[in-house]
Amino acid sequence: MELLHATDVSKSFETGEGPLQVLRGVSLSLTAGTSLALTGESGSGKSTLLYLIGGLDVPDAGHIRIAGTDIAGLDDPGRAALRRGTVGVVFQQFNLIPSLDVAANLAFHARLSGRHDAAWTAHLAERLGLSALLSRFPEQLSGGQQQRVAIGRTLAAKSELVLADEPTGNLDEATGDAVMDLLLELVSETGAGLLMVTHSMRLAARLDRQVGLRAGVIA
Amino acid sequence: MIRAGAQALWSHWARHRLQLLVVIIGLALATGLWTGVQAINAEARVSYDRAASALGQTNLQQITRADGPLRLADFVALRRAGWLVSPIAQGGLRGTGLEVLGFDPFTAPQGAAVPDLRGAGDLSAFLVPPGVVFVHPETVGRLPDGLPPARVLDTIAPGRLVTDLSIAMQLLRSDTLSSIIVLENQPQGRTPLSDLDASYMLSAPSEGSDIARLTDSFHLNLTAFGLLSFAVGLFIVHAAIGLAFEQRRVLFRTLRALGLPQRALVGLLAAEAFVLATVGGSLGIVLGYVVAAALLPGVAATLSGLYGASVSGSLSLSPIWWLTGFVMAYIGAAAAAGSSLWQLSRLPILAPAMPRAWARANARTARIQAFGGLGLLTAALILGVAGDGLVAGFACLAALLLGAALLVPTALTLIIRGLSRFGTGVVTRWVWADTRQQIPALSLALMALLLALSANVGVSTMVGSFRGTFIGWLDQRLASDLYVTTRTPAEAAAFQDFVADDVHAILPIISADITLGGTPGEVFGIKDHATYRDHWPLLEGAPDVWDRVAAGTGVLVNEQLARRDDLWTGATLTLAPDWRMQIVGVYSDYGNPAGQAIIGYDTFSARFPDISPLRFAISADAPAALRDRIVMDFGLPPDNTINQEEVKAFSLEVFEQTFLVTRALNVLTLGVAGFALWASLTTVATMRLPQLAPVWALGLTRRHLATLEMGRALVLALLTAVLAVPVGLGLAWVLLAIVNVEAFGWRLPMQVFPWDWAQLLLWALVGAALAAALPMRSIAKLPPSELLKVFAHAR
Ligand SMILES: Nc1ncnc2c1ncn2[C@@H]1O[C@H](COP(=O)(O)OP(=O)(O)OP(=O)(O)O)[C@@H](O)[C@H]1O
Ligand SMILES: [Mg+2]
């Protein structure tokens, strides 16, 4: 089943020196249960594209279909519902809610979407090695631990499409690898689609497919 | 979904208890000062009305005798003739300062403030000796021995004893009535008054709440003060709520990225503001009650001394003022959270995570703010010079304060930029640059400080000017020793004989009600005498002013009339259609709402041959002894003789009281501003780590950094205090020269008290030092690991 289908997406930003065309007609697609790596040099527009797919921003032109719905046709509450129910975003950092402890953070997305399943969340915590940290607050975690919580939160909500923006960018190689292993393992276990932005060719190679972004188009 | 969102948003407060405390205390202080002042005002007004309408004298006609006092026989005669009337005996209880009011329970008008005697046995206890006296709870302690048993009743005016007519007459040792009031619905076919006795006169209801009008100026000042305090409190709330928004920016992004709709987020935050306002408002109302209860005795003393108004020194809880308290709290929270909510509802999701965009927006906001401030100051200037009416006066006041507050950050930035030229050392340069960078974060607290300090300067200046002018004016106005009012022409003649041997001068005061410029006013006739020539408080006058008044070719008018109708020296005053006179002078007449004119005695007598003088100004060697003789031997009620010495001494005492009340309010407002500064410094301190850590890493000790922080707070407070002086003077000027003139028709000359400013600067520094002490301590004690976290990228 086609989970994500983007056609001719373009996006520009107003800057001090005039408009900056970041995306110039990007097209890509992803089926459920598979993973796709998005690479490209810094400033090429990877995060921008990811945010557009996640319904966090709106494209200037083009279409993005997620699970059969064209999100260009959605209003703000509609896009919010999409993020609650279908898409999960893992940012590079500052993912967690600082005032809630790990357990509450893990369950948070699932609670928002009304799909909270305590057993599943506990299972995820176990798998992610977070069981001993459940009552800590984010500021008391290391960077790798924080990213594991962020991944767990997305999976706990059973999001169909997981979007991750350099989830291991801040981690050392060993920790990054461990987090990646878990992410891939859990994604295939749940049958979700994964779109991941990364700088690392080595990590990208571990995903099913790879595409590169250059000069605003998929190279 | 909503529940999960709410939990995440509000969990912020559980982790930031201090901030929560700041928001709630800010709201509580804002509402508290406002409601406190309102409560004092409301309580005073209730007291005046209670005193004035004890038996409906204020709205019922009365019968008096032209040829002497009324007796019980008059009452009996009137009842027999079919008149529905009721007798009253009223007078001072010797040696106690208390007032006795006797009434007849069978004929007195119902309602009003008459004790309810319908309970079993009440009426007989009231009538049968020894009877009962009803008093206000506060009066109980002041009752002398030998009185009938007292009963406590809230509705009785303080200082008054209400009892049966015959008991009152015994207590007063008098066989005369002070008045006979005429009930509203009179039966048909009663004998006309003139057929009963030619000397009966029907007089109009007495003037009503004179006291309320006289004290309006005082209450207006208090209200202005309450508003200022409210504004200061609002700045605190705004700062705290704004900070809570800033700190949760990443949280907002995360929540929305996880699918919480924009509208739900805004709604939750609005609900949060509502809850905070409710909690803060409730606390504020309790606080307001405490403030009012603490200040009320002082205010009561002030008012009773200043205007003879009796204000109950205790407080009753009226639903109106606690409701308005809540309304103010909600308005405050809405104003404080409104801008943040509005911004949030328009921001794209990702914007909160882009600090650069915010910084740019902030620079623009600062510029807009500065221009807004300049615009408001210009508007204040235009309103002050060209504006007309009370609303324009208050608008001018608001524009002045808001404009000045908005300009604070820009002004401080410019000043510090100027000052930074003088430092050459590398640390000094860093300190100046860093201070400048800190101003936006502290700007709301500094604005609150400016408002508090300028309110302080403004209100002190106003009260000081009030005192200076008023005392001087009393000296001039009350140049004679005693002022005596007789009740009938016959008594007046007897009185003049009675005192003839003991006085240097006895000047008749004679007046008539006339229409001046289309509204009711008074005209006075005065004898040509040194008392007037040397002392009368003229604001302006022709060189030969007194000769011309004596010669009947000139008239004096009071300031109110001059301002209202633009009639100054040289203009012509119309006293009647066929009677015009040239104005030769204008005098100050504080506290009198009506227009007034003064002409020569002979001119007056020729115009009003029927009016003979009842009031006299007396100069004597021993005024106090003479006064006693007039009361004891001549038999005039004590209230009819005023000793100017006593009035002046009293007034002075009263102004000291006023000062105490204002000072207490000043201290409270300053405390509020100090609290705001402390809150801002504390919260800013936690966000300053990224700025401090590199400097620390480069070799400055934590103690050194802490000392620099303290110095910075003191410099900012000092600069703000210096800016506050001109703003406060502007505020005082608007209050004295615009608001007071528009509201009451007279203008107080402004006096300045530079010594007070010096003290205020000192207090501002003390406040800032206290506010900075804790944050400074925490910087000095900061564990290095905290500072290192800044470099260890991951939080
Ligand atoms: N809100 C914005 N306003 C202006 N320009 C923006 C904005 N957001 C992104 N850009 C610009 O768009 C371009 C693409 O940004 P984007 O964050 O998508 O790059 P990226 O590929 O994710 O880079 P990196 O690998 O460094 O994260 C950059 O040049 C960036 O400066
Ligand atoms: Mg990026």
Side-chain angles (χ1 to χ4, degrees):
Chain A
M1 191 191 75
E2 184 137 281
L3 188 57
L4 162 70
H5 191 94
T7 33
D8 283 337
V9 174
S10 56
K11 177 75 181 174
S12 63
F13 290 109
E14 280 310 320
T15 65
E17 308 91 51
L20 172 72
Q21 191 74 39
V22 178
L23 303 178
R24 309 165 187 266
V26 172
S27 302
L28 57 77
S29 64
L30 179 71
T31 44
T34 67
S35 57
L36 174 63
L38 179 61
T39 58
E41 57 190 47
S42 177
S44 58
K46 304 181 296 292
S47 298
T48 304
L49 178 60
L50 201 75
Y51 296 154
L52 292 177
I53 293 171
L56 293 163
D57 206 350
V58 232
D60 298 340
H63 293 278
I64 299 170
R65 301 180 74 84
I66 292 173
T69 321
D70 189 345
I71 68 169
L74 294 177
D75 56 0
D76 190 72
R79 287 202 301 275
L82 173 87
R83 294 196 297 274
R84 276 201 305 280
T86 317
V87 185
V89 186
V90 179
F91 294 97
Q92 198 168 348
Q93 51 183 333
F94 302 137
N95 272 293
L96 305 182
I97 294 167
S99 46
L100 296 181
D101 63 14
V102 169
N105 263 292
L106 268 179
F108 189 77
H109 197 174
R111 283 226 174 87
L112 267 189
S113 58
R115 282 201 292 250
H116 180 52
D117 175 344
W120 171 235
T121 309
H123 168 71
L124 280 174
E126 183 72 46
R127 292 291 308 274
L128 290 161
L130 296 170
S131 303
L133 308 175
L134 287 179
S135 56
R136 290 212 199 161
F137 282 88
E139 70 203 24
Q140 300 161 326
L141 299 181
S142 75
Q145 289 165 337
Q146 289 187 25
Q147 287 307 75
R148 279 186 273 155
V149 178
I151 290 165
R153 181 178 66 191
T154 299
L155 296 172
K158 302 188 176 114
S159 303
E160 294 167 57
L161 176 59
V162 176
L163 304 174
D165 192 354
E166 298 187 48
T168 59
N170 276 327
L171 307 179
D172 64 82
E173 205 165 289
T175 317
D177 279 347
V179 170
M180 266 315 290
D181 288 344
L182 269 171
L183 180 59
L184 289 174
E185 211 173 300
L186 287 167
V187 163
S188 70
E189 217 171 272
T190 54
L194 168 69
L195 173 58
M196 188 178 90
V197 168
T198 179
H199 273 186
S200 154
M201 285 305 156
R202 196 175 56 82
L203 287 183
R206 301 183 53 189
L207 272 61
D208 298 339
R209 286 192 301 137
Q210 296 78 28
V211 291
L213 196 54
R214 191 168 308 135
V217 292
I218 298 289
Chain B
M1 173 180 95
I2 297 295
R3 256 190 57 199
Q7 193 200 358
L9 275 179
W10 295 343
S11 62
H12 171 86
W13 296 112
R15 304 275 296 164
H16 295 86
R17 302 242 169 86
L18 177 69
Q19 209 175 38
L20 180 65
L21 205 69
V22 170
V23 173
I24 288 183
I25 292 182
L27 269 168
L29 287 174
T31 339
L33 282 176
W34 165 256
T35 40
V37 167
Q38 286 311 301
I40 292 175
N41 280 352
E43 188 65 19
R45 294 229 169 82
V46 169
S47 293
Y48 308 148
D49 292 346
R50 203 182 281 163
S53 68
L55 274 175
Q57 297 101 310
T58 48
N59 43 27
L60 294 178
Q61 291 186 316
Q62 303 185 20
I63 292 176
T64 49
R65 277 193 91 102
D67 58 351
L70 293 158
R71 291 173 197 281
L72 265 179
D74 293 306
F75 167 63
V76 175
L78 284 163
R79 285 297 283 206
R80 288 226 177 96
W83 286 76
L84 286 181
V85 289
S86 184
I88 288 178
Q90 195 172 5
L93 191 61
R94 254 175 220 214
T96 60
L98 299 170
E99 184 197 50
V100 174
L101 180 97
F103 76 102
D104 169 36
F106 299 106
T107 56
Q110 277 312 305
V114 177
D116 189 352
L117 298 170
R118 281 173 301 186
D122 282 355
L123 189 59
S124 57
F126 188 74
L127 292 173
V128 179
V132 174
V133 291
F134 287 93
V135 291
H136 188 270
E138 264 172 34
T139 317
V140 177
R142 294 165 53 198
L143 295 177
D145 294 335
L147 286 181
R151 274 202 215 166
V152 167
L153 201 59
D154 271 342
T155 52
I156 307 284
R160 177 177 281 171
L161 280 56
V162 176
T163 186
D164 177 56
L165 186 72
S166 60
I167 294 170
M169 289 165 82
Q170 279 168 29
L171 289 173
L172 294 170
R173 295 192 201 129
S174 147
D175 58 351
T176 62
L177 300 175
S178 46
S179 59
I180 292 179
I181 53 178
V182 181
L183 272 55
E184 243 156 16
N185 297 314
Q186 294 292 333
Q188 296 292 317
R190 60 194 194 276
T191 320
L193 218 49
S194 49
D195 292 0
L196 275 174
D197 189 325
S199 59
Y200 281 144
M201 298 189 303
L202 201 58
S203 63
S206 50
E207 248 308 284
S209 237
D210 277 351
I211 307 166
R213 252 187 329 214
L214 284 171
T215 47
D216 272 352
S217 176
F218 186 79
H219 290 301
L220 189 75
N221 297 340
L222 274 183
T223 305
F225 211 101
L227 271 177
L228 283 174
S229 318
F230 185 72
V232 172
L234 272 197
F235 272 88
I236 304 179
V237 178
H238 193 284
I241 290 189
L243 188 77
F245 270 71
E246 290 273 301
Q247 289 187 335
R248 287 185 288 182
R249 252 192 265 148
V250 174
L251 172 63
F252 296 159
R253 180 206 67 176
T254 308
L255 284 177
R256 294 197 56 200
L258 295 181
L260 189 70
Q262 172 112 313
R263 227 172 287 159
L265 182 61
V266 172
L268 280 173
L269 287 169
E272 173 188 288
F274 180 81
V275 172
L276 289 174
T278 308
V279 176
S282 316
L283 282 177
I285 285 162
V286 174
L287 184 73
Y289 188 88
V290 173
V291 167
L295 292 182
L296 202 56
V299 174
T302 300
L303 290 172
S304 79
L306 186 49
Y307 309 109
S310 208
V311 176
S312 151
S314 69
L315 205 59
S316 51
L317 202 63
S318 143
I320 299 285
W321 71 257
W322 59 257
L323 273 180
T324 56
F326 271 118
V327 170
M328 288 305 266
Y330 291 132
I331 292 177
S339 63
S340 302
L341 279 179
W342 188 72
Q343 238 178 348
L344 182 72
S345 70
R346 288 174 5 124
L347 273 180
I349 304 175
L350 295 171
M354 291 185 296
R356 268 176 305 128
W358 277 70
R360 233 183 300 129
N362 271 344
R364 209 177 43 228
T365 318
R367 220 172 314 129
I368 292 174
Q369 198 177 312
F371 279 117
L374 277 179
L376 281 171
L377 284 190
T378 317
L381 198 68
I382 294 171
L383 280 168
V385 174
D388 202 19
L390 196 56
V391 175
F394 273 113
C396 173
L397 205 67
L400 170 72
L401 285 174
L402 199 60
L406 286 179
L407 274 177
V408 167
T410 312
L412 288 177
T413 306
L414 289 178
I415 294 174
I416 286 174
R417 193 177 290 166
L419 286 175
S420 61
R421 298 238 174 81
F422 298 105
T424 47
V426 58
V427 174
T428 322
R429 291 223 329 248
W430 170 73
V431 169
W432 284 127
D434 191 54
T435 306
R436 225 165 64 200
Q437 221 184 24
Q438 239 189 302
I439 290 176
L442 293 176
S443 64
L444 279 164
L446 292 172
M447 288 180 190
L449 185 64
L450 178 98
L451 283 183
L453 291 172
S454 43
N456 232 301
V457 172
V459 174
S460 309
T461 304
M462 186 191 63
V463 177
S465 302
F466 207 97
R467 170 163 84 164
T469 313
F470 209 70
I471 296 285
W473 175 77
L474 276 180
D475 265 339
Q476 300 173 321
R477 241 344 239 276
L478 301 179
S480 297
D481 295 315
L482 288 180
Y483 291 82
V484 178
T485 308
T486 55
R487 289 167 293 192
T488 60
E491 194 175 57
F495 175 75
Q496 278 172 286
D497 290 341
F498 179 78
V499 296
D501 295 338
D502 297 325
V503 301
H504 302 307
I506 175 161
L507 297 168
I509 301 171
I510 192 168
S511 68
D513 293 338
I514 62 167
T515 302
L516 288 171
T519 52
E522 274 178 307
V523 60
F524 280 78
I526 56 163
K527 283 259 162 71
D528 188 15
H529 194 271
T531 305
Y532 299 112
R533 287 182 176 262
D534 298 345
H535 297 293
W536 199 251
L538 284 184
L539 292 172
E540 60 169 48
D544 49 353
V545 40
W546 294 108
D547 294 334
R548 292 184 57 187
V549 170
T553 58
V555 58
L556 299 173
V557 297
N558 68 354
E559 185 188 355
Q560 284 80 317
L561 183 60
R563 285 191 190 281
R564 199 183 64 205
D565 296 344
D566 201 18
L567 291 170
W568 301 88
T569 306
T572 304
L573 177 72
T574 308
L575 292 119
D578 61 333
W579 183 19
R580 289 158 199 279
M581 286 180 90
Q582 199 183 25
I583 295 172
V584 292
V586 178
Y587 57 94
S588 51
D589 188 18
Y590 302 126
N592 172 13
Q596 207 180 70
I598 291 180
I599 56 177
Y601 194 83
D602 298 337
T603 321
F604 187 95
S605 304
R607 267 281 160 180
F608 305 98
D610 299 342
I611 297 181
S612 63
L614 293 175
R615 298 181 59 204
F616 300 92
I618 294 168
S619 303
D621 280 333
L626 181 58
R627 184 181 181 204
D628 285 348
R629 282 191 53 220
I630 293 171
V631 174
M632 303 292 181
D633 300 342
F634 187 73
L636 264 187
D639 283 355
N640 285 26
T641 311
I642 295 171
N643 185 343
Q644 64 87 17
E645 280 280 329
E646 283 170 19
V647 170
K648 278 182 215 158
F650 219 35
S651 305
L652 221 75
E653 204 176 296
V654 160
F655 278 116
E656 293 315 319
Q657 283 288 347
T658 319
F659 265 107
L660 278 184
V661 174
T662 348
R663 206 163 293 152
L665 286 175
N666 272 343
V667 168
L668 282 176
T669 333
L670 256 186
V672 170
F675 179 77
L677 195 61
W678 170 74
S680 302
L681 285 173
T682 308
T683 35
V684 163
T686 59
M687 306 195 326
R688 276 179 56 67
L689 285 186
Q691 278 125 57
L692 295 179
V695 190
W696 166 76
L698 295 179
L700 256 63
T701 64
R702 284 170 292 160
R703 276 191 65 166
H704 193 168
L705 285 173
T707 317
L708 289 175
E709 290 288 312
M710 171 62 84
R712 201 191 325 265
L714 291 181
V715 165
L716 288 176
L718 183 68
L719 290 177
T720 309
V722 169
L723 289 176
V725 171
V727 178
L729 291 181
L731 169 70
W733 184 82
V734 174
L735 281 176
L736 292 174
I738 299 180
V739 172
N740 212 59
V741 173
E742 294 295 347
F744 310 111
W746 36 273
R747 175 174 179 165
L748 280 170
M750 189 162 121
Q751 301 172 1
V752 291
F753 307 91
W755 175 236
D756 285 357
W757 307 343
Q759 277 180 307
L760 195 65
L761 288 190
L762 203 70
W763 280 117
L765 288 181
V766 171
L770 285 177
L774 269 182
M776 181 181 116
R777 219 179 89 96
S778 67
I779 287 178
K781 297 247 150 97
L782 210 57
S785 64
E786 283 293 316
L787 285 156
L788 282 172
K789 261 193 195 170
V790 173
F791 305 110
H793 207 66
R795 263 184 320 166

